[in-house]
Amino acid sequence: MAGKKTIDKETLKEQIRSNLRLLYRKDISEATPQMVYQAVAYSVKDTVINNWIETQKVFEETQAKKLYYLSMEFLVGRALGNTIQALAEEKEVQEALSELGFDLVSIEDEERDPALGNGGLGRLAACFLDSLSTLGYPAYGCGIRYHYGMFRQKIENGYQVEIPDEWLKYGYPFEIKREEYACEVKFGGYVTTRIEEGQPRFYQEGYQSVLAIPYDLPVVGYGNNMVNTLRIWDAEAMTSFRLDSFDKGDYQRAVEEQNLARTISEVLYPNDNHYSGKELRLKQQYFFISASIQTAIRKFKQNHDDIHELPKYTVFQMNDTHPTVAVPELMRILLDEESLGWEEAWDITTHCCAYTNHTIMTEALEKWPIELFSRLLPRIYQIVEEINRRFILDIQAKFPGDQEKINRMAIVYDGQVRMAYMACCAAFSINGVAKIHTEILKKQTLKDFYELFPEKFNNKTNGITQRRFLLHGNPLLSEWITKKIGDEWVVDLPELKRLKVFVDDAQCRQEFMNIKYRNKLRLAKYIKQHNGIDVDPRSIFDVQVKRLHEYKRQLMNILHVMYLYNQLKDNPNLDMVPRTFIFGAKAAAGYHRAKLTIKLINAVAEVINRDHSINGKIRVIFIEDYCVSNAELIFAAADVSEQISTASKEASGTSNMKFMLNGAPTLGTMDGANIEIVGEVGEENAFIFGMSAEEVIHYENHGGYNPMEIFNGDQEIRRVLMQLINGFYSPDDPERFRDIYNSLLNTKSSDRADTYFILKDFRSYAEAQRRVDAAYRDEESWARMCMLNTANAGKFSSDRTIEEYVRDIWKLEKVQVKPGKR
Ligand code: F58
């Protein structure tokens, strides 16, 4: 599919040898796999650079409109394999390496995942960049070069232990430092006003500066020569530029600036669906936003004289509220540096900024205390106040006398700045990430804003890139699909529907299931290596991998395992298909209940995996350090995709799509994108259970429900819960899981008992699990179901999502890039 070959095997071998000499003064015979990885990466980068330069030239020539995707997180995963694949050079590289005595897969394993994100939101940003490049749209990802990304997870004695992620330890070969584009970012101090030419002008004084240094990472389009840029900002002290401060004895300030710079880009906050109101977090936000917006304006001005034209050439997409300071920062630049009036500046800003919401969980909605916000960003805060003042006037004009409404909608209220409201007030587009999520935003979370600005609201159901999660992660299935229907699916996923005809062909079904089996063997090997446990590749691989959060209900899953185990103990001859329950999840370091749930999963695994009396009918595996690279192995090997969030809570989910694409039916609630998955594949090809979002919301609005009734009325559930506090899974400390037990049964003033309706949905879940067991026994219909999941996954490509963003929000034009030459 890709154009001409850009890598020639013999030249590549020579380059690798030469890179080894240049980088390490080593011959191939003495090189370690890590060294070879670096040498290969530099060679591949060499090819990429030519196309990268060419892409930039095309941007200059065409003056195409550019997207700036502003995101605190980009969970890109490994680059080497992806890049080689995008250049369609896998065969050349594989052969070159094997002739040098190495194999590509193990060299790829030498790469550290750049884990600059937590979970869904960060991975979505990475999928979007992949699609933007592949589709040929001009775009920049703008983020932070955290020195420590998402922590690495070790399991010690069943507990999660967080290990710093030193992804930069050996250097990251794909990045390029661009010192020449450094920007100054100012924090603190105070604002002075001077009248100049009859106009007040605002100056921030007494501030501390940080130098923002960009590092560029290539985002390589598949087979089209396009290379967009992911620009991540690192902080350095301005001190070398401020020797004068030392001279003047302003030593204190110089030291403070050093410290500020040292901390800003140090570490990613490891929270998923929970915001942390830490000062450093706000510093990080303003740091990368100020640098990105300054750069975008500088770039625009190189080619355009009239700043009013900015929205014609530039669009900023704010990935959740974390980049929302982009609004006042753009206003600041337009007002203070471009000397525009308020209305003009507001008009430009509100035509450039768009906002995506990723959650309705109230604890994830960002609010900053005024004291902190105004101290750190004094000029920005003034602008926010003015945005708020004018916004309130607008509301008053439309809803005279409705003070309640003003209280509900004000951006600055009750001592806090409400970031989502600022985003909604300023953005020209507000989107949710799945149909149901967008509806809940309109009807509930952002109801007042929907009433005021109905035209701004739109849905963009998430997607994933098939190039990483099928083409790269599941080579066997990819080859098979390509053999059956050609390779267009790589850039046009709905092509997969052409696989539907093969479900009626016994031979094809056999081939499809053989591939699944081989992928299960691959994962079983990984599990053996990492967990030291043998799993039966003929058992059902039932998988839940995602961040650990109460609303995602990993707890319900493990409680169900405990329930099944009780049944087996009572009746060792219980007729069930052997199951391997596979979990993978990181918990935020400070989220105690989530960490305790990990311990519970491991405690249950300990007991069950050791019990030979159940004849291996249940195995429980906790995969340590779930991350993008092992995810690829896991999706390919899954039989069942657990998507069991409390309905209404999971905005979209994206792992559900990755499983579907790899032929695993969904066992899930009618939540997030599960609903759309069922819409595509049909309810008969999924296992749906549990309360609907309406029911959940109804209970929530009426004070919840009484889980005690279930506890008292259902002896099997009661038995499972008692095992949490009678030492069954924790003989050394029977109280260990008391908090989990309490969370399900005891009402505290702050929390409802069983906030996430685990007991309420339990029976329905167990029943759905029985349907899985029954369905799996019918080999033919199970194979059909799996194939139909793959065949109907076309909608869930991030290519489709990006085309919708382009059509409805960004209005970008495609560009064509020729292969770059040296
Ligand atoms: C996730 N949010 C949603 N937030 O939970 C998931 O349903 C959705 O599919 C995905 O976004 C993509 O739209 C999410 O991952 C975070 O991790 C934030 C990180 C920063 C703090 C607040 C949560």
Side-chain angles (χ1 to χ4, degrees):
M1 186 173 298
K4 277 221 213 84
K5 289 273 150 226
T6 42
I7 296 180
D8 158 73
K9 187 176 71 182
E10 291 307 321
T11 321
L12 177 62
K13 276 161 58 181
E14 206 28 66
Q15 271 183 338
I16 293 173
R17 287 203 186 92
S18 145
N19 285 347
L20 284 171
R21 272 193 299 274
L22 287 171
L23 290 167
Y24 304 105
R25 218 196 65 184
K26 294 257 191 236
D27 283 333
I28 190 87
S29 56
E30 319 159 89
T32 63
Q34 173 61 218
M35 290 171 181
V36 175
Y37 156 71
Q38 295 270 346
V40 176
Y42 277 102
S43 307
V44 170
K45 181 169 156 193
D46 191 52
T47 310
V48 168
I49 296 272
N50 302 329
N51 288 350
W52 206 354
I53 293 171
E54 189 61 33
T55 304
Q56 289 303 314
K57 264 199 221 141
V58 174
F59 288 1
E60 286 296 313
E61 283 160 17
T62 57
Q63 283 308 315
K65 183 174 182 180
K66 296 179 186 73
L67 162 70
Y68 292 86
Y69 196 81
L70 308 175
S71 178
M72 291 282 276
E73 306 189 7
F74 288 91
L75 193 44
V76 289
R78 288 176 179 161
L80 180 62
N82 207 16
T83 309
I84 294 171
Q85 178 186 282
L87 298 170
E89 298 292 2
E90 270 163 313
K91 207 165 146 266
E92 294 292 308
V93 181
Q94 242 156 22
E95 284 177 12
L97 277 173
S98 91
E99 286 172 26
L100 293 174
F102 293 88
D103 90 292
L104 179 55
V105 175
S106 51
I107 292 302
E108 279 184 39
D109 277 339
E110 288 295 316
E111 181 172 345
R112 302 290 291 270
D113 281 41
L116 309 184
N118 272 288
L121 171 145
R123 182 56 230 175
L124 184 76
C127 285
F128 280 5
L129 293 185
D130 180 275
S131 287
L132 281 158
S133 290
T134 298
L135 294 167
Y137 292 115
Y140 292 86
C142 305
I144 298 177
R145 184 175 181 266
Y146 302 105
H147 298 185
Y148 295 92
M150 188 61 209
F151 61 79
R152 288 203 298 151
Q153 182 192 52
K154 281 238 161 305
I155 300 297
E156 284 178 11
N157 189 26
Y159 286 104
Q160 165 176 298
V161 176
E162 300 93 27
I163 312 282
D165 161 52
E166 296 177 285
W167 72 288
L168 290 167
K169 189 166 172 186
Y170 302 110
Y172 185 63
F174 289 96
E175 67 179 5
I176 300 184
K177 184 174 185 180
R178 311 297 297 273
E179 263 182 299
E180 64 278 26
Y181 299 121
C183 298
E184 183 181 9
V185 180
K186 299 175 183 174
F187 292 96
Y190 49 90
V191 182
T192 56
T193 317
R194 281 177 233 146
I195 304 294
E196 287 170 15
E197 295 165 13
Q199 295 290 330
R201 287 192 68 111
F202 299 89
Y203 294 93
Q204 194 174 345
E205 289 179 357
Y207 53 83
Q208 291 171 6
S209 282
V210 175
L211 199 61
I213 313 272
Y215 285 72
D216 287 352
L217 276 58
V219 183
V220 184
Y222 183 85
N224 67 351
N225 312 307
M226 175 108 173
V227 183
N228 274 318
T229 303
L230 168 55
R231 174 159 283 188
I232 48 179
W233 297 92
D234 203 342
E236 283 185 20
M238 292 282 288
T239 316
S240 50
F241 294 81
R242 278 198 189 280
L243 281 175
D244 56 328
S245 311
F246 281 103
D247 292 345
K248 282 193 239 138
D250 198 355
Y251 184 72
Q252 186 64 26
R253 172 153 153 196
V255 171
E256 280 168 8
E257 287 188 352
Q258 286 272 6
N259 285 338
L260 181 61
R262 206 168 293 130
T263 54
I264 280 191
S265 49
E266 197 60 7
V267 57
L268 164 78
Y269 277 94
N271 294 324
D272 178 272
N273 277 292
H274 197 295
Y275 97 102
S276 71
K278 295 274 166 32
E279 181 161 341
L280 180 57
R281 172 85 175 173
L282 185 58
K283 284 181 187 161
Q284 291 184 331
Q285 296 184 350
Y286 185 65
F287 166 74
F288 95 100
I289 287 299
S290 179
S292 304
I293 304 279
Q294 288 183 49
T295 306
I297 303 251
R298 193 187 326 167
K299 223 181 184 79
F300 171 82
K301 287 178 69 175
Q302 277 164 6
N303 296 300
H304 305 273
D305 298 324
D306 183 1
I307 192 78
H308 296 89
E309 295 220 300
L310 188 69
K312 211 169 131 191
Y313 295 97
T314 309
V315 55
F316 298 109
Q317 186 68 39
M318 302 185 290
N319 197 23
D320 216 299
T321 54
H322 328 135
T324 305
V325 278
V327 170
E329 175 64 2
L330 181 53
M331 285 297 285
R332 181 191 70 77
I333 294 173
L334 296 174
L335 295 167
D336 298 358
E337 292 176 15
E338 300 298 322
S339 306
L340 298 190
W342 184 275
E343 277 82 11
E344 290 173 289
W346 185 246
D347 189 59
I348 295 172
T349 301
T350 53
H351 284 87
C352 283
C353 296
Y355 159 58
T356 304
N357 174 292
H358 293 267
T359 185
I360 61 154
M361 304 287 290
T362 37
E363 64 264 38
L365 291 183
E366 280 189 304
K367 299 180 193 113
W368 293 106
I370 291 175
E371 184 281 318
L372 163 62
F373 198 99
S374 59
R375 173 163 49 81
L376 206 61
L377 311 171
R379 178 62 184 138
I380 293 297
Y381 180 67
Q382 278 187 339
I383 294 170
V384 171
E385 275 200 324
E386 182 60 12
I387 295 174
N388 183 51
R389 191 185 68 79
R390 289 170 181 252
F391 182 47
I392 288 175
L393 288 177
D394 283 352
I395 306 173
Q396 272 167 344
K398 294 213 173 80
F399 305 93
D402 194 345
Q403 186 58 38
E404 268 305 299
K405 198 168 202 85
I406 293 171
N407 295 349
R408 288 202 304 272
M409 298 182 78
I411 296 166
V412 182
Y413 184 73
D414 198 18
Q416 293 178 315
V417 183
R418 305 195 281 205
M419 301 301 267
Y421 297 177
M422 180 155 68
C424 289
C425 168
F428 67 88
S429 160
I430 301 167
N431 78 280
V433 291
K435 278 184 194 155
I436 183 180
H437 169 58
T438 301
E439 287 310 309
I440 295 174
L441 289 179
K442 293 200 288 196
K443 289 198 197 110
Q444 260 197 250
T445 323
L446 300 174
K447 182 166 182 276
D448 290 310
F449 287 87
Y450 180 57
E451 263 168 43
L452 194 59
F453 310 120
E455 72 290 348
K456 290 188 183 187
F457 283 74
N458 63 94
N459 176 57
K460 296 287 165 282
T461 298
N462 284 164
I464 55 162
T465 168
Q466 65 268 33
R467 285 154 307 265
R468 183 173 291 272
F469 293 105
L470 183 52
L471 184 63
H472 188 262
N474 195 344
L476 295 175
L477 186 56
S478 295
E479 272 162 40
W480 182 84
I481 293 172
T482 297
K483 232 185 306 143
K484 297 288 178 211
I485 62 168
D487 66 357
E488 270 303 302
W489 62 272
V490 177
V491 290
D492 182 12
L493 200 62
E495 277 286 299
L496 290 182
K497 64 179 173 302
R498 294 176 47 209
L499 292 174
K500 281 184 202 167
V501 295
F502 301 110
V503 305
D504 294 322
D505 180 325
Q507 161 93 26
C508 289
R509 286 198 302 270
Q510 192 60 51
E511 289 166 0
F512 192 93
M513 295 319 284
N514 279 346
I515 288 169
K516 181 61 80 183
Y517 183 73
R518 286 172 65 193
N519 285 326
K520 286 167 80 173
L521 286 177
R522 182 174 68 157
L523 182 60
K525 189 168 154 208
Y526 180 93
I527 290 172
K528 178 74 185 168
Q529 271 165 3
H530 291 80
N531 299 52
I533 298 175
D534 287 304
V535 296
D536 174 6
R538 303 217 171 263
S539 65
I540 300 176
F541 279 19
D542 175 317
V543 188
Q544 187 176 18
V545 284
K546 49 183 77 249
R547 284 300 292 261
L548 212 142
H549 200 293
E550 285 163 274
Y551 84 80
K552 296 178 189 280
R553 301 201 291 193
Q554 284 93 350
L555 178 57
M556 185 166 73
N557 188 345
I558 197 68
L559 291 176
H560 173 259
V561 175
M562 290 159 65
Y563 156 86
L564 263 189
Y565 180 59
N566 288 340
Q567 290 200 322
L568 264 180
K569 291 304 277 183
D570 292 348
N571 173 13
N573 296 323
L574 185 79
D575 183 21
M576 68 170 278
V577 182
R579 253 316 160 117
T580 304
F581 292 96
I582 298 173
F583 293 83
K586 288 181 184 175
Y591 189 173
H592 297 294
R593 196 170 289 159
K595 291 174 98 170
L596 192 57
T597 306
I598 292 179
K599 173 67 180 171
L600 176 63
I601 296 169
N602 285 310
V604 172
E606 265 292 306
V607 171
I608 296 184
N609 296 345
R610 254 193 294 119
D611 184 345
H612 298 296
S613 75
I614 60 167
N615 293 323
K617 280 190 178 152
I618 310 178
R619 281 261 183 286
V620 182
I621 301 296
F622 189 94
I623 293 186
E624 198 175 61
D625 199 39
Y626 171 58
C627 59
V628 179
S629 47
N630 58 27
E632 293 180 30
L633 306 181
I634 296 169
F635 295 125
D639 291 311
V640 176
S641 158
E642 297 253 8
Q643 306 298 338
I644 60 180
S645 53
T646 312
S648 81
K649 302 295 178 210
E650 189 69 273
S652 163
T654 41
S655 76
N656 44 6
M657 304 169 185
K658 297 165 195 169
F659 283 109
M660 179 192 198
L661 184 61
N662 283 278
T666 301
L667 164 57
T669 48
M670 280 302 227
D671 196 19
N674 297 353
I675 298 176
E676 289 162 72
I677 286 178
V678 172
E680 294 297 299
V681 76
E683 195 153 351
E684 67 286 5
N685 295 307
F687 301 89
I688 299 303
F689 71 92
M691 287 198 282
S692 67
E694 289 76 34
E695 286 172 275
V696 169
I697 291 170
H698 178 84
Y699 276 112
E700 285 177 339
N701 292 339
H702 294 82
Y705 81 107
N706 184 5
M708 268 303 174
E709 281 174 17
I710 296 178
F711 180 77
N712 290 328
D714 186 325
Q715 291 316 304
E716 287 173 319
I717 291 183
R718 184 191 184 97
R719 178 172 170 199
V720 168
L721 293 195
M722 290 313 291
Q723 287 170 338
L724 290 173
I725 53 166
N726 67 10
F728 193 86
Y729 291 104
S730 53
D732 57 322
D733 176 8
E735 286 297 304
R736 179 169 293 133
F737 301 116
R738 169 78 63 181
D739 173 66
I740 291 179
Y741 173 89
N742 284 348
S743 76
L744 295 169
L745 292 175
N746 289 1
T747 318
K748 279 189 280 146
S749 52
S750 54
D751 258 351
R752 267 187 293 110
D754 194 12
T755 319
Y756 296 103
F757 301 95
I758 289 177
L759 302 192
K760 190 97 185 130
D761 270 349
F762 189 87
R763 279 287 159 197
S764 165
Y765 177 55
E767 196 270 323
Q769 284 283 23
R770 271 190 289 276
R771 279 185 275 140
V772 170
D773 179 286
Y776 194 82
R777 292 163 195 253
D778 183 341
E779 275 182 36
E780 180 183 331
S781 80
W782 183 264
R784 278 174 197 276
M785 201 188 281
C786 297
M787 287 171 83
L788 285 172
N789 269 277
T790 300
N792 286 300
K795 172 176 171 183
F796 301 105
S797 169
S798 45
D799 298 345
R800 185 265 314 147
T801 314
I802 288 299
E803 291 291 16
E804 291 179 3
Y805 273 94
V806 167
R807 182 192 68 204
D808 302 341
I809 308 173
W810 301 335
K811 320 277 182 203
L812 306 171
E813 303 283 345
K814 286 189 184 186
V815 298
Q816 293 276 342
V817 182
K818 299 190 297 303
K821 292 193 201 74
R822 250 176 212 280

